[in-house]
Amino acid sequence: MFEFFHKRTHFLFAIILGMFVFGIIGLIKMPKNLFPDSNRPEVVIFTQVPGAPANVVATTVSKPIEEEMATLSNVYEIKSTNVANFSIVHVIFNYKKTLQSAAVDVSNALNRIKGKLPEGSTPAIYIVGAFTAPVDVFSLSPKNDSITLPEIRKIADSFIKPKLLSNKDIGNVEIFGGYQSSIMIKIDPRKMEKYGLTLDNFIKVLKTSNIDLPIGFIKSKDSFLTLTFYGNESDIKKLKNLFVKPNLKLSDIAEVKWSYKTNNSAYVGNNTPSIAVSVQRAPGGNLLATSDAARDMMKKIQKEYPNIKVTVSDTQRNIVETANINMIEALRDAIIFTLMVLLIFLANLRALAAAAISIPMVFFGVLAFLYLTGGELNVIIYTAIILALGMLTDDAVVVLENIERHLEEGEELKAAIYNGTKEVLMPVFAGTISTIAIIFPLMFVGGYPEKIFRPLIETLIVALLISWFLSVTFIPKLSEYLYKNGTNKTKFEKFFEALYQKTIAKLITPYVGILKFSNGKFKVFRRFLLIAGAVFVLAMTMKNIVPTIGRDVMPPMDTGIMKAKIEFSSNLNADESAKRLKPFLTWLNKQPWLEKSSIAIGTEQGVLSISGNGGGNSVGMTIIAVDRFHRKRTIWQLEKEVREELAKIEGIKNLAVFDYGATALSTINAPLAIEFRSDNYESLPQKAKEAEDIIKDIKGLTTTMISWDKDFLEAEIVIDKNKALSYGLTPAAIVSQIAIKDQVASISSSLASMNVQFVRVRFLGDYSKNLQTLKMLPITTKTGTVPLSELADIKTHFTYSKIERNDLEYSIEAQGYREKRAISKITDDADKLLHEHGITNYYQSGDMKELNDSFGRLIKAVVIGVIVLILTLMVVYQSLRLSLIMIVVLPLSMIGGMWGLLIANKPSCMPSMVGLLLLFGIIIKNAVLLIDFYKEYEHQGIPPFESAIAAIKIRFRPVMMTAFGTIAGMIPIALEQAIGLERLSPIADVAIGGLFIGTFLTLVYVPMFAYSTDPRRKEEKEN
C-alpha cells in the first residue's frame, strides 16, 4: 500500500478530500440519537374485550393467542398483561428476527385462531422498538371557553393526526387523553318496554339499518353495474329519524348525540388537562428530523386553531441534542489533552502537527464511512472515536519518529522518508491488526452485548484502519513538507525535551534496574518472586474488589428524566385519579428544576407510546428536569423528593419513582423482579406479597411492590336459573338486555373529513351508574317485563385488577426499584433472605437475567479474542513463544482495571468488559513495539539480556506516550462530560486504571520473559 500511494500522490489526496467531504455531509445529515436501538424485535397484540374482567380476558383471549405464538420460530419470550376490557400480549423475538418478518408471522398466526376468540374481540398488532418512544408529545388544551377537550380530541383524531402523518419524516402519530369521539345512543329502557322492543332486537335493527350493504351486480354484454343498499345515516339528525320499528323512530326511545366513549383514560401535560399528540419516528429514522418536521407542522396547525393551546410536554430532542453537543465538546477536549501529552513526551512540533492533522482526518473518515453505509450518530459512535484517539496518534508518530531518525543519520530527505517508512510498516501493521484481532469477536457474540456494542467496535476498527492507512500513506507525504528545512529543534522544543529528560525519562533507570534484578544471582528465584507477586496481587484484587464493586448490566445514568408508576385503588376511575394528583402537580409546577411533565392515566387501545399501563387507577409519569450540568442535585436526589411528595397523596396503593433507563431493556419490568409462575393464578398474589415483605428493607431499594393483586371490586350478577327458565329466558338472554359497556352497534362515516365514528349504545339515566338502579332494570320476558332483581341477585366481591402471564404460565412479580447500588448485590441479598424463609421456587427475571446472559457472552468474546490474537501474532512473528510472551501481561493488567472501577465507584458491567478488551488491545500494541525492537537487536547479534535492556531504553518513550496519550483521550469519558456517558464511562475507568498498571507490567515482564525464554541463552550456556 505504501509503494502504491507513494507514487500516486493525487489519488491519495483525492481519497482524503473525499473523506472530508462525505464526513462533513454525514455530520450534518446522519440521524442523531442517544443510543442505538438495542431492544429485541417485539410485536404487541392489543385486543379489546368490552365488559370482561382480567381473569376472563386472560383465559379466553390471551391464553389462546400465546399458545399460537409459541409455535413461531425465534421467539425469545411471550408475556401478556390482562386488565378489565383489554388483553395486551407481547411477543418478543430473538435478534435474528427482523421486525417486518416478526409482524408477518404474528399476523398469520392470529388469522389461524380468530375462531377461538370471543365474538366481537378483534386483535390489532403493533411493532415495538426504541422508535415507539415519543420523539415529541404535544399537549393540546383549550385557550378559552370557546372549545372543549372533547372537541380538541375530535380535531386531533380527524385533522391533526392525518396532517402530521403526511410528512415523510414522521413515522407514526398517536392520540391519547380520553374523550374518544363516538355517536352515543342512550336508550330509555322504560320506553323500550312500552314499545315491546328488546335491547338485543334493537341492536340488530341498528346494525342492519345503519350500514352500507353490497347486494350483488348486473352484468350485460357491454356493461357492469354493482347493486348496493346505502343504509348508513350521514348525520345525527338522520340517525335520529332512523326507523327501529314500524312507525317508531330512534329518537322516540333514545337520546342520540355526538359525544365520546365513556372515559377511562386522561392526560395532563405541563399541569394542564390536555389531549396528547405523540409523534414517533420510523424504525431507523432520524429523531431530530422527526422533531423538526413535527414542530414546524404544529406551528402551522396552531395558526389554523387559534383557540387551542399547544405545548411540548415530553421530548427526546433536548437530551439527544445536548448529548451530541456534549460529545463534540468531549472530542475536542480529548484531542487537546492527547496533543498536550504528545508535546510533553515528544518535544517535537512536527510530530504534533502531524498528529493534529491526522486526527480530524480520521474523524471525518469515520463519519464518511458511517454516512455511506447508512449509519447514525450517537453517544456510542462518538465514544468509539474518542477511545481510538490515543492509538490513532501512535501510528503517525512511530512513522514520523523513524523518518526523523534516518534524517539524523545523514540520509537525503526522500530516501529517509522511503526507508524510514518501510522499516516500520510491519510493527505498525502488527500493532493495528493485533488490536483489531482482540476486539472484533465482540461483534459476533450475539444477544444484547452484540446489539449495543457492535456499532462501537465497528467504529473503532474503522478508525484504526483509517489511522493505519494515513500513517503509511499521508504521513510520509506530509514529512516532505515538515522536514524540508532539516530536523533542527526550536528553543520551545528544546525546553520540552529538557523537561522530559529531567522528569519522565528518569523512570527508565528503575525499569532497567528491575530487569537487572531479574537476571542477578539466584535469577530463577528472583523471577519467581516477580511473577508470584503479580499473580498474588491479581488474585487478591479479583477476590476482594470484584465482590465489593458488584456487577450490573449497565450503570445508572442521570439524563434528567425520571419516570413514575402510580396505582390507586383498583376501582378508581381516570377522572378521580386526575383529581387526586392535582396537589402534587401544583407542587411540581413550582419546582425550579422542572422543565416538562407528562402524566398519562389509564390505557387506550393501540396507543403504545403513552400509557398508565393499566386501568383508570394507573398513572404513568414522565418528569423532565434541567440537565445535570445546570443543577446542583442529582436525579436520584430529585427522585427522592418527588417520591416523598407523591406518597402524601390519598389512596396510593403502589408507587415507584425511578430514573430513565432504570432497566437494561424496556422489556424488563424492574431492576429486581422476583417472579413466581403457576398454572393457577389464584395463589400467586399471596406468594408475591410474602416475597415483597421479605425484600422491602434490602439496602439500595427505594420502592417495592407486587405487579398485580386481587383488589378490584366487581359486581357479579347471579342469575336464578330456575326463575329465568320459568319466564322463558336463558342467562345469555338476560345478559343481552343489559347495555352498560358502550356496546358498538354500528359505524358511521358521516363526514368525509372526519374519521369513522363508532355508534355506541348505553342506557339512559342511572342504570349505568349504580347497582341499586340497575336492579330495577326492566327485563323483557314472554309474559311481560320484570325487574332484574326478580331474576338475579347482584353481589360484590374482589377480583383481579390485572393478571399477567409469562411463557404460557400465569406469573406475578415482587418488584424492587433502586438508585445506584449494583444489581448483583441487591439480587444476592434478596436470594439470601428468600432462601432463609424457605422460598426457592422463583425466577430472577429483572436485570439479573440479562446480566448473566450478557456476561456469559462477553467472557466468550474475551477468550475467543485472546485465541485469535495468539494466532495472529504467530502468523506475524512466526513464533508461538513470542506470541505467548506478548499476551502474558494481559490478565495482570486487570489489576489496574478493577482498581479503576473501585476508585470511580462503578460496578463491573458490560461497558467495563468492553474496556477490558480495549485495554488488552492497547497493551498488546505496546508489547508489539517492544518485541519488534527486541527481534531487531536479536538479528544484529546482540545477546538476549542486552537486547531486552536496549528495547526498554529505545521504546520506553513511545510505549509511555501511547499509554498516556490514550489515558488523556479517555479523560472526558471518565469524567462523564456528556449526557449518557455515565453508561459508558466504565470503559474508560477500566482502560485508564489498567494502563497505569499494565504499562508498568509491560515494560518489566515482556522484556523479562523475552530474554529468559530466548533459545540463544541455551547456546550461551553451552558455549
Side-chain angles (χ1 to χ4, degrees):
M1 183 176 289
F2 165 67
E3 297 274 4
F4 179 84
F5 284 102
H6 192 66
K7 299 173 184 177
R8 295 168 177 81
T9 305
H10 290 90
F11 185 30
L12 172 64
F13 282 98
I15 292 174
I16 292 172
L17 180 62
M19 283 169 23
F20 270 103
V21 171
F22 285 107
I24 292 169
I25 294 172
L27 184 62
I28 296 169
K29 289 194 170 185
M30 268 193 291
K32 295 177 178 67
N33 293 305
L34 186 63
F35 290 107
D37 186 355
S38 57
N39 288 326
R40 291 181 175 87
E42 181 180 356
V43 178
V44 174
I45 306 164
F46 208 120
T47 310
Q48 191 166 10
V49 196
N55 56 331
V56 174
V57 172
T59 54
T60 63
V61 178
S62 294
K63 189 176 179 182
I65 290 176
E66 291 170 28
E67 289 171 352
E68 188 63 31
M69 296 306 136
T71 65
L72 302 179
S73 62
N74 288 313
V75 172
Y76 174 79
E77 186 179 36
I78 301 171
K79 55 186 182 180
S80 69
T81 301
N82 305 275
V83 296
N85 304 317
F86 291 112
S87 159
I88 307 170
V89 178
H90 300 260
V91 187
I92 303 165
F93 292 85
N94 290 317
Y95 286 109
K96 295 177 183 178
K97 199 90 165 181
T98 65
L99 268 174
Q100 289 73 18
S101 62
V104 170
D105 285 356
V106 169
S107 178
N108 291 337
L110 278 176
N111 288 332
R112 291 195 294 268
I113 60 159
K114 276 186 178 178
K116 297 181 182 179
L117 301 180
E119 185 181 353
S121 58
T122 306
I125 65 172
Y126 305 87
I127 57 174
V128 175
F131 54 86
T132 308
V135 171
D136 283 324
V137 176
F138 298 96
S139 293
L140 279 56
S141 58
K143 271 187 180 178
N144 48 50
D145 295 337
S146 64
I147 196 168
T148 63
L149 280 177
E151 291 168 335
I152 292 176
R153 176 70 190 237
K154 291 175 188 174
I155 292 169
D157 278 324
S158 299
F159 296 101
I160 295 176
K161 180 177 179 177
K163 281 194 177 183
L164 289 170
L165 286 173
S166 67
N167 191 295
K168 62 181 178 60
D169 289 319
I170 295 174
N172 189 32
V173 177
E174 295 180 340
I175 311 296
F176 184 89
Y179 303 104
Q180 292 171 278
S181 62
S182 67
I183 297 171
M184 187 66 74
I185 300 175
K186 291 190 176 181
I187 52 175
D188 187 335
R190 298 293 179 186
K191 290 183 178 179
M192 287 180 65
E193 177 189 358
K194 177 182 176 182
Y195 293 108
L197 190 64
T198 65
L199 178 63
D200 196 31
N201 290 334
F202 168 74
I203 291 176
K204 285 180 181 177
V205 170
L206 198 61
K207 282 184 175 181
T208 54
S209 299
N210 191 36
I211 194 168
D212 299 337
L213 293 175
I215 299 171
F217 60 88
I218 299 173
K219 184 179 180 183
S220 62
K221 185 178 178 181
D222 53 3
S223 67
F224 182 92
L225 296 174
T226 60
L227 297 179
T228 304
F229 165 67
Y230 290 99
N232 201 313
E233 300 302 320
S234 60
D235 56 35
I236 298 293
K237 186 177 179 181
K238 290 183 178 179
L239 191 59
K240 287 180 179 180
N241 292 325
L242 176 71
F243 285 100
V244 293
K245 202 174 181 182
N247 300 316
L248 182 66
K249 295 180 180 178
L250 180 57
S251 58
D252 293 333
I253 61 167
E255 284 185 3
V256 182
K257 62 179 180 179
W258 203 346
S259 182
Y260 53 86
K261 177 186 172 184
T262 303
N263 270 343
N264 205 26
S265 59
Y267 183 78
V268 182
N270 297 325
N271 199 26
T272 305
S274 310
I275 300 299
V277 177
S278 173
V279 177
Q280 300 162 295
R281 62 184 172 93
N286 187 331
L287 187 145
L288 294 182
T290 300
S291 180
D292 286 338
R295 294 187 181 201
D296 287 343
M297 294 192 75
M298 286 305 293
K299 285 179 184 177
K300 296 174 183 176
I301 289 169
Q302 196 168 7
K303 290 179 181 178
E304 295 180 35
Y305 302 99
N307 292 333
I308 298 178
K309 180 183 177 183
V310 179
T311 62
V312 177
S313 53
D314 188 10
T315 182
Q316 292 187 64
R317 183 189 185 93
N318 294 356
I319 187 175
V320 171
E321 280 187 328
T322 304
N324 276 269
I325 292 169
N326 291 160
M327 289 305 294
I328 292 290
E329 293 169 348
L331 179 62
R332 176 203 63 200
D333 294 345
I335 292 171
I336 293 170
F337 296 155
T338 303
L339 293 178
M340 288 172 63
V341 168
L342 292 184
L343 179 62
I344 293 169
F345 273 91
L346 297 177
N348 188 328
L349 292 178
R350 296 178 184 87
L352 200 67
I357 294 170
S358 62
I359 287 173
M361 285 185 177
V362 174
F363 174 66
F364 285 107
V366 171
L367 293 186
F369 172 82
L370 292 172
Y371 174 65
L372 294 173
T373 55
E376 68 173 25
L377 288 176
N378 52 54
V379 172
I380 295 280
I381 299 299
Y382 283 120
T383 300
I385 296 171
I386 294 172
L387 290 173
L389 278 180
M391 293 180 280
L392 302 182
T393 54
D394 185 53
D395 289 342
V397 169
V398 167
V399 173
L400 210 61
E401 266 192 324
N402 217 46
I403 291 171
E404 190 169 313
R405 184 168 64 85
H406 279 263
L407 286 169
E408 289 171 350
E409 290 173 358
E411 290 187 23
E412 186 265 330
L413 180 59
K414 288 189 176 180
I417 290 172
Y418 183 84
N419 295 329
T421 303
K422 286 209 73 174
E423 197 172 72
V424 293
L425 285 177
M426 177 56 74
V428 169
F429 175 75
T432 300
I433 203 69
S434 298
T435 305
I436 292 172
I438 200 164
I439 62 175
F440 96 93
L442 188 57
M443 295 169 57
F444 305 101
V445 295
Y448 181 57
E450 178 183 323
K451 190 70 175 177
I452 194 73
F453 287 116
R454 183 166 187 158
L456 184 143
I457 301 301
E458 284 179 344
T459 305
L460 198 56
I461 289 173
V462 169
L464 289 170
L465 290 174
I466 293 174
S467 170
W468 168 74
F469 169 77
L470 291 173
S471 67
V472 299
T473 57
F474 173 71
I475 294 300
K477 287 296 177 185
L478 183 63
S479 300
E480 294 179 12
Y481 172 78
L482 293 176
Y483 291 106
K484 65 181 180 181
N485 296 322
T487 60
N488 294 330
K489 293 196 172 186
T490 65
K491 289 181 179 180
F492 183 75
E493 290 172 312
K494 289 177 181 178
F495 168 78
F496 277 98
E497 178 64 28
L499 179 66
Y500 169 79
Q501 294 297 337
K502 291 177 181 178
T503 54
I504 299 170
K506 298 286 185 183
L507 295 173
I508 296 176
T509 303
Y511 282 110
V512 172
I514 294 171
L515 203 62
K516 288 181 178 179
F517 170 82
S518 72
N519 199 41
K521 192 176 182 181
F522 306 115
K523 59 185 73 175
V524 174
F525 178 71
R526 293 184 180 209
R527 291 171 198 157
F528 173 77
L529 278 180
L530 288 172
I531 296 168
V535 172
F536 176 77
V537 174
L538 174 63
M540 289 297 100
T541 297
M542 301 305 290
K543 181 181 177 182
N544 297 301
I545 292 182
V546 173
T548 300
I549 60 178
R551 295 186 302 149
D552 231 323
V553 185
M554 301 286 273
M557 60 178 176
D558 182 350
T559 61
I561 301 174
M562 69 181 86
K563 300 281 187 176
K565 292 199 302 188
I566 301 167
E567 284 187 20
F568 291 103
S569 169
S570 296
N571 289 86
L572 215 64
N573 60 38
D575 293 337
E576 183 60 29
S577 296
K579 286 178 186 176
R580 295 195 183 187
L581 288 171
K582 278 185 180 180
F584 166 76
L585 295 176
T586 301
W587 169 85
L588 180 65
N589 212 43
K590 294 176 182 176
Q591 302 311 301
W593 47 263
L594 178 70
E595 275 202 349
K596 296 174 177 65
S597 64
S598 173
I599 289 86
I601 304 170
T603 304
E604 292 185 14
Q605 184 175 12
V607 179
L608 301 177
S609 61
I610 311 177
S611 174
N613 296 306
N617 66 313
S618 302
V619 181
M621 286 190 183
T622 300
I623 300 171
I624 302 178
V626 295
D627 66 71
R628 59 184 169 89
F629 304 112
H630 296 93
R631 56 179 153 84
K632 294 180 180 179
R633 291 185 291 171
T634 67
I635 194 68
W636 298 283
Q637 290 170 321
L638 298 182
E639 283 173 12
K640 184 179 179 182
E641 186 178 12
V642 168
R643 193 179 299 114
E644 290 171 352
E645 198 65 29
L646 281 169
K648 296 176 185 178
I649 299 175
E650 177 193 355
I652 284 188
K653 182 179 67 176
N654 282 323
L655 167 64
V657 181
F658 48 93
D659 43 294
Y660 172 74
T663 56
L665 292 166
S666 61
T667 52
I668 299 173
N669 295 326
L672 177 67
I674 297 161
E675 184 185 16
F676 298 92
R677 297 182 187 176
S678 174
D679 292 331
N680 186 347
Y681 53 78
E682 292 181 354
S683 63
L684 291 176
Q686 184 58 38
K687 290 181 180 179
K689 284 177 186 175
E690 289 177 16
E692 186 201 4
D693 288 339
I694 292 168
I695 67 171
K696 64 183 179 182
D697 294 323
I698 289 176
K699 181 183 176 183
L701 289 182
T702 59
T703 308
T704 59
M705 63 173 66
I706 63 173
S707 55
W708 53 273
D709 201 357
K710 190 176 183 178
D711 59 354
F712 184 77
L713 189 62
E714 178 185 56
E716 180 184 4
I717 299 177
V718 183
I719 297 173
D720 186 327
K721 293 182 181 179
N722 285 330
K723 278 190 179 181
L725 290 173
S726 68
Y727 283 102
L729 292 173
T730 62
I734 295 172
V735 171
S736 70
Q737 297 190 50
I738 303 173
I740 58 171
K741 60 178 182 180
D742 284 3
Q743 186 171 350
V744 177
S746 181
I747 294 176
S748 172
S749 53
S750 53
L751 296 173
S753 60
M754 295 291 288
N755 288 348
V756 296
Q757 305 297 317
F758 289 108
V759 179
R760 299 181 180 274
V761 177
R762 177 173 276 262
F763 284 140
L764 181 66
D766 295 330
Y767 291 106
S768 305
K769 296 179 181 179
N770 65 74
L771 297 181
Q772 293 304 316
T773 310
L774 184 61
K775 288 179 181 181
M776 302 305 296
L777 179 70
I779 301 295
T780 303
T781 72
K782 290 181 178 180
T783 59
T785 61
V786 295
L788 178 60
S789 58
E790 179 69 22
L791 302 170
D793 188 17
I794 301 178
K795 297 179 179 179
T796 58
H797 60 86
F798 284 102
T799 187
Y800 302 92
S801 57
K802 180 166 64 174
I803 294 177
E804 293 175 346
R805 290 172 55 84
N806 192 355
D807 289 338
L808 307 184
E809 290 183 289
Y810 294 102
S811 70
I812 192 169
E813 292 178 348
Q815 299 172 347
Y817 291 86
R818 57 165 178 162
E819 286 188 349
K820 298 179 73 174
R821 191 179 182 218
I823 194 61
S824 66
K825 292 184 176 183
I826 292 174
T827 304
D828 288 345
D829 289 350
D831 285 337
K832 183 180 177 182
L833 288 171
L834 290 168
H835 289 178
E836 286 175 359
H837 286 79
I839 300 175
T840 57
N841 189 22
Y842 63 89
Y843 300 84
Q844 286 287 2
S845 57
D847 272 348
M848 204 63 196
K849 178 183 176 183
E850 196 64 52
L851 174 67
N852 291 331
D853 177 75
S854 298
F855 266 66
R857 294 175 184 276
L858 287 168
I859 289 169
K860 284 181 186 176
V862 173
V863 172
I864 293 170
V866 171
I867 293 171
V868 172
L869 176 63
I870 293 171
L871 297 175
T872 303
L873 292 173
M874 280 180 61
V875 172
V876 173
Y877 287 101
Q878 302 294 304
S879 170
L880 175 61
R881 178 182 69 88
L882 291 178
S883 302
L884 293 175
I885 286 170
M886 281 187 273
I887 71 159
V888 75
V889 78
L890 297 186
L892 298 179
S893 65
M894 291 170 61
I895 297 169
M898 293 302 104
W899 278 95
L901 289 174
L902 180 66
I903 292 169
N905 194 27
K906 293 288 185 180
S908 176
C909 52
M910 285 206 315
S912 71
M913 295 289 282
V914 174
L916 191 65
L917 281 171
L918 186 66
L919 169 65
F920 287 175
I922 301 165
I923 295 292
I924 279 296
K925 199 164 189 178
N926 285 335
V928 164
L929 289 174
L930 286 168
I931 290 297
D932 195 77
F933 270 77
Y934 179 86
K935 283 179 65 67
E936 184 179 322
Y937 289 119
E938 179 186 351
H939 292 151
Q940 294 175 15
I942 299 173
F945 181 69
E946 285 72 16
S947 295
I949 294 289
I952 290 178
K953 290 180 177 179
I954 298 298
R955 299 313 299 164
F956 173 82
R957 182 181 283 197
V959 166
M960 294 293 280
M961 183 203 69
T962 299
F964 281 92
T966 304
I967 288 171
M970 290 183 181
I971 287 174
I973 299 175
L975 294 178
E976 300 171 352
Q977 286 185 210
I979 289 175
L981 268 185
E982 301 100 317
R983 280 273 161 99
L984 301 174
S985 60
I987 297 177
D989 298 331
V990 168
I992 290 172
L995 282 171
F996 272 116
I997 302 298
T999 302
F1000 164 76
L1001 297 174
T1002 301
L1003 287 166
V1004 171
Y1005 288 90
V1006 169
M1008 184 180 79
F1009 282 117
Y1011 87 77
S1012 61
T1013 61
D1014 197 317
R1016 292 180 298 159
R1017 289 180 62 83
K1018 291 182 180 179
E1019 296 174 9
E1020 289 176 2
K1021 289 179 181 179
E1022 290 171 359
N1023 295 331

